[in-house]
Amino acid sequence: MTGSSSNGTCKAAVKLSRHSRSKSTNNYCSSSSGAESASSGSTANNAGRSSGEEEEKDGGVLFYVNRTGFPIECPIWERMWTHVTKIHPDGKEMVDRIRNAAYLPKPPVPLVPNFKPSMSVPDWLQAIQNYMKLLQYNHTGTQFFEIRKTRPLSGLMETAREMTRESLPIKCLEAVILGIYLTNGLTSVERFPISFKTQFSGNYFHHVVLGVYCNGRYGTVGMSRRADLMDKPLAFRTLSELVFEFEDSYRRYLHTVKKVKIGLYVPHDPHVFQPIEWKHLVLNSSKVGREDMRKDLEKHARDMRMKVGQMKISLLSKIKKQRKKETVGYSIEITTLWPAYIHLYNVGEPCSKVSLLCSTSSSMASLNHLFAKLNQLCRLQLFGGVK
């Protein structure tokens, strides 16, 4: 990460940001909910801060959310450098060395993965996960992309496109949106959010991953500072097995899972205006036994699969009704055109006259197909006077 300490550069950044993609005018940014963060029960740390400088905790470290879009404004740059100065072992010495350097190499920009027909679903999910790992987890103290959970899916997909353009480090909530964006073309894969609330040393931590379901198997994609708290292979037979695997992973870090939230399947149409359903099922792990939790998770999984099945049946029903209407219209068209066609066919008139006669009424079926059917009926001698 680089940034200029000169006032001129800061002013230029602020001036350019007026024409950036973000519509927000706030220089200081508050955090969005749902990111992998921790919040202490005490509010003393936030005392004396204005509402525009609200902070959340990410593993005990305060972080902000960039609401002003790109290019990043000067106050946000300065705030990030201050954060790095506090948490990096070399502190201010490292910051001064970077900011005063005459030349800094350009960081590598990972390529967005391209799906190939020869790729299997697990291979594609692994390619997406590898892309996220190349973007890296965001340790800057500022979340670069604002994710509002109530925002329509179409708007969140625009944010995901911006992530691929900027190629900046991301947190877990951003990874969920990016995962949805990169799997929209895989209609055989169902996607849904899985959120966790855990407790460790008096602090509450929040984390979210993107659950995936395909061919009777569950898995996840996502981002975390812990390798076993993000992606899981598409190998779990039930949703409860997947959730319990995350619980076991948290237990290795001495975290106690307090709540698990499961959302609904996310539509594959990136243009829909409905928001993502983040917490259709909420389970209090500290009050519900594992067996009861398993039953609730499997019931939720069945309900989601049934809902998808009903949607497919409804779609097939609409297609059948449309085809039936076309068939009825086609039959009426043949009945209407038949007398004139028989007359012209018997007297040996050229086919061009028949085409002229039919051109104004044949709108649902191809004329060539229509004439082929009419000729077939003539040759079968369904009507008299056929040659």
Side-chain angles (χ1 to χ4, degrees):
M1 179 183 302
T2 60
S4 174
S5 59
S6 64
N7 294 331
T9 305
C10 291
K11 292 179 180 178
V14 174
K15 184 176 181 180
L16 285 171
S17 67
R18 295 175 183 173
H19 305 285
S20 64
R21 288 179 286 273
S22 175
K23 302 298 182 182
S24 174
T25 58
N26 295 331
N27 288 341
Y28 293 93
C29 315
S30 62
S31 170
S32 63
S33 62
E36 184 184 13
S37 60
S39 56
S40 175
S42 173
T43 58
N45 291 332
N46 290 330
R49 293 190 179 96
S50 66
S51 59
E53 296 179 331
E54 293 176 359
E55 296 171 324
E56 292 286 342
K57 284 189 175 182
D58 183 6
V61 179
L62 296 170
F63 78 93
Y64 292 85
V65 175
N66 173 31
R67 296 185 189 274
T68 57
F70 296 90
I72 296 177
E73 294 185 354
C74 181
I76 298 176
W77 272 117
E78 295 300 327
R79 191 173 60 208
M80 283 193 288
W81 283 117
T82 302
H83 171 76
V84 171
T85 302
K86 292 179 180 178
I87 67 171
H88 197 276
D90 295 335
K92 192 173 185 303
E93 180 183 350
M94 183 275 299
V95 171
D96 292 339
R97 184 170 62 252
I98 294 177
R99 300 191 75 174
N100 297 327
Y103 170 78
L104 290 174
K106 290 185 177 181
V109 178
L111 296 177
V112 181
N114 291 322
F115 178 75
K116 299 177 182 178
S118 59
M119 297 177 67
S120 64
V121 171
D123 290 342
W124 177 238
L125 294 178
Q126 188 59 51
I128 293 173
Q129 188 63 49
N130 292 339
Y131 173 68
M132 291 182 182
K133 290 179 180 178
L134 290 175
L135 291 177
Q136 299 182 16
Y137 190 84
N138 184 356
H139 295 278
T140 64
T142 297
Q143 182 175 302
F144 292 120
F145 305 94
E146 181 188 11
I147 307 296
R148 296 197 306 273
K149 288 187 172 181
T150 57
R151 192 180 181 188
L153 182 61
S154 57
L156 293 176
M157 292 302 95
E158 177 58 37
T159 302
R161 281 189 286 271
E162 191 172 38
M163 292 182 203
T164 60
R165 288 194 298 265
E166 302 295 340
S167 295
L168 292 172
I170 57 177
K171 290 181 177 290
C172 60
L173 185 57
E174 297 160 296
V176 169
I177 303 304
L178 183 59
I180 293 173
Y181 173 72
L182 294 175
T183 55
N184 274 335
L186 294 179
T187 55
S188 62
V189 178
E190 300 297 343
R191 299 84 42 85
F192 57 98
I194 306 176
S195 305
F196 299 93
K197 179 182 179 180
T198 63
Q199 186 180 25
F200 173 74
S201 186
N203 290 331
Y204 289 96
F205 293 74
H206 299 267
H207 183 45
V208 61
V209 294
L210 181 65
V212 291
Y213 173 78
C214 180
N215 294 332
R217 294 292 186 271
Y218 289 91
T220 61
V221 295
M223 283 294 285
S224 172
R225 287 165 296 177
R226 304 295 186 180
D228 51 352
L229 291 177
M230 46 185 187
D231 60 311
K232 300 289 184 181
L234 200 64
F236 296 88
R237 292 180 175 272
T238 63
L239 179 59
S240 59
E241 289 182 7
L242 176 63
V243 172
F244 294 155
E245 170 65 21
F246 272 95
E247 283 193 341
D248 294 339
S249 298
Y250 271 116
R251 197 172 292 113
R252 286 192 285 270
Y253 302 108
L254 304 181
H255 278 240
T256 303
V257 177
K258 292 296 184 180
K259 284 186 179 180
V260 179
K261 300 176 184 178
I262 312 292
L264 294 178
Y265 287 161
V266 179
H268 284 82
D269 184 0
H271 306 292
V272 298
F273 199 69
Q274 70 186 67
I276 296 173
E277 179 60 55
W278 294 90
K279 50 180 181 179
H280 189 76
L281 174 67
V282 180
L283 297 173
N284 194 329
S285 304
S286 59
K287 297 182 180 179
V288 179
R290 176 161 281 207
E291 184 60 25
D292 292 337
M293 190 172 175
R294 184 189 65 79
K295 291 179 180 179
D296 291 339
L297 287 169
E298 295 316 309
K299 181 180 183 301
H300 179 72
R302 286 194 301 270
D303 291 344
M304 287 197 295
R305 291 196 298 269
M306 287 179 62
K307 185 171 292 187
V308 171
Q310 291 173 356
M311 291 175 60
K312 291 181 179 178
I313 292 174
S314 177
L315 181 61
L316 290 174
S317 177
K318 290 181 181 179
I319 293 174
K320 288 181 179 179
K321 287 182 180 179
Q322 183 64 28
R323 288 179 178 175
K324 186 175 181 181
K325 289 180 181 179
E326 291 180 357
T327 303
V328 172
Y330 179 74
S331 301
I332 294 173
E333 198 165 348
I334 291 181
T335 305
T336 304
L337 297 176
W338 182 258
Y341 182 81
I342 288 297
H343 173 72
L344 295 176
Y345 188 91
N346 287 330
V347 299
E349 293 291 342
C351 188
S352 59
K353 290 188 178 182
V354 182
S355 301
L356 181 63
L357 178 66
C358 298
S359 60
T360 57
S361 59
S362 180
S363 58
M364 286 180 290
S366 169
L367 283 176
N368 291 333
H369 184 61
L370 179 64
F371 288 139
K373 285 292 183 183
L374 290 173
N375 277 310
Q376 183 181 9
L377 292 175
C378 286
R379 296 184 186 283
L380 291 175
Q381 297 185 357
L382 294 178
F383 290 84
V386 180
K387 291 185 180 180

